[in-house]
Amino acid sequence: MRKIIVANWKMNGSLNFVSSFVTKLQQGFSATPNQIIICPPFLYLAFLKTALEGTSASVGAQNCHNLSQGAFTGEVSSFMLADLGCKAVIVGHSERRSFAAETDSMVAAKAAAVHEAGMTAIICVGESYAVRESGQAMNWVVQQLHASLPPSATPQNTYVAYEPIWAIGTGMTAHQEDIKVMHQALHQAMGTPIPLLYGGSVTDQNVGDILCLPHVEGVLVGGASLKTDVFERIITSHL
Ligand code: PGA
């Protein structure tokens, strides 16, 4: 079954990296039945988009502003990203919620702006270690999802990525049972079949098991998407 694989490069990469990434992954892109979205830093989007021409992979951004234009120094709007050929935008990543103080309502406004520009919003949710330890993870994440999902969200224009904060970049992937239970809860809470992705220390070693879980339609991959041989195995993993 076709899965969604999103690469989040975060603040990593260079022009040289973009070129070698696309060259090394050419075969993988043509071999995979999966939908691949690569999200580099803003300034490499146009170069990556050109480099990916002729492949089945598309480009996405890691953030955007919620307004279409104006006096917002240093910001980029969803319409500009769509203008460039982006197909998707990650919003509400826990790193932005933490260091850029993005609230649920800001995330919902950004997701709505992504929809308005005709792209897919990849809305991230996930609990901290303290919340998980308190036994409240499920309620907490469901509430966060309700507050981060704009009324414009449909299964055609939105993916929701469950990314437990403690699993991001730590090598501590969530247990399969925990992913299963959380995805079931999120699926029920949405009442509409918006595709659900899992993110948090996904590698070529665990991706097959994660993608087999019910209500896991894809993965959001950070660190492992920067290792071309590992990422190639992730996108071509047999499902
Ligand atoms: P990771 O990051 O795969 O390096 O844990 C995932 C993410 O932050 O989206």
Side-chain angles (χ1 to χ4, degrees), residues 40-46 61-65 74-76 81 84 89:
F42 286 137
L43 75 172
Y44 298 128
L45 280 166
Q62 299 173 17
N63 178 39
C64 68
H65 197 274
E75 294 288 341
V76 171
L81 296 169
L84 208 66
V89 183

Side-chain angles (χ1 to χ4, degrees), residues 8 10 90 93-95 124 163 167-171 199-203 220-225:
N8 175 13
K10 310 192 181 189
I90 299 171
H93 189 282
S94 63
E95 285 155 14
C124 301
E163 298 205 299
I168 296 176
T170 58
S201 297
V202 172
T203 66
L220 179 46
V221 188
S225 71

Side-chain angles (χ1 to χ4, degrees), residues 9 14-30 38 40 44-59 225 228 231-232 235:
W9 287 4
S14 63
L15 289 176
N16 275 341
F17 179 75
V18 171
S19 299
S20 70
F21 179 89
V22 175
T23 306
K24 287 185 191 154
L25 281 157
Q26 282 291 344
Q27 272 193 342
F29 289 143
S30 38
I38 316 289
Y44 298 128
L45 280 166
F47 187 55
L48 178 64
K49 168 92 177 38
T50 305
L52 286 174
E53 253 155 43
T55 77
S56 56
S58 52
V59 294
S225 71
T228 43
F231 191 60
E232 180 166 31
I235 66 171

Side-chain angles (χ1 to χ4, degrees), residues 85-110:
C86 281
K87 296 291 180 223
V89 183
I90 299 171
V91 292
H93 189 282
S94 63
E95 285 155 14
R96 295 208 56 84
R97 289 178 184 267
S98 147
F99 65 68
E102 289 189 4
T103 61
D104 292 340
S105 58
M106 285 164 75
V107 173
K110 286 178 181 219

Side-chain angles (χ1 to χ4, degrees), residues 12 33-34 38 64 69 93 101 108 129 136 139 143 171 176 180 190 201-202 214 227 237:
N12 294 292
N34 297 320
I38 316 289
C64 68
Q69 59 181 41
H93 189 282
Y129 193 69
Q136 291 303 309
N139 288 343
Q143 244 176 19
Q176 292 211 31
K180 196 169 133 189
M190 289 189 295
S201 297
V202 172
K227 299 173 188 147
S237 61

Side-chain angles (χ1 to χ4, degrees), residues 5 15 28 47 57 63 88-89 99 116 122 126 150 173 175 181 211 213:
I5 316 265
L15 289 176
F47 187 55
N63 178 39
V89 183
F99 65 68
E116 222 185 308
I122 303 169
T173 320
H175 292 300
V181 169
L211 287 173
L213 295 170

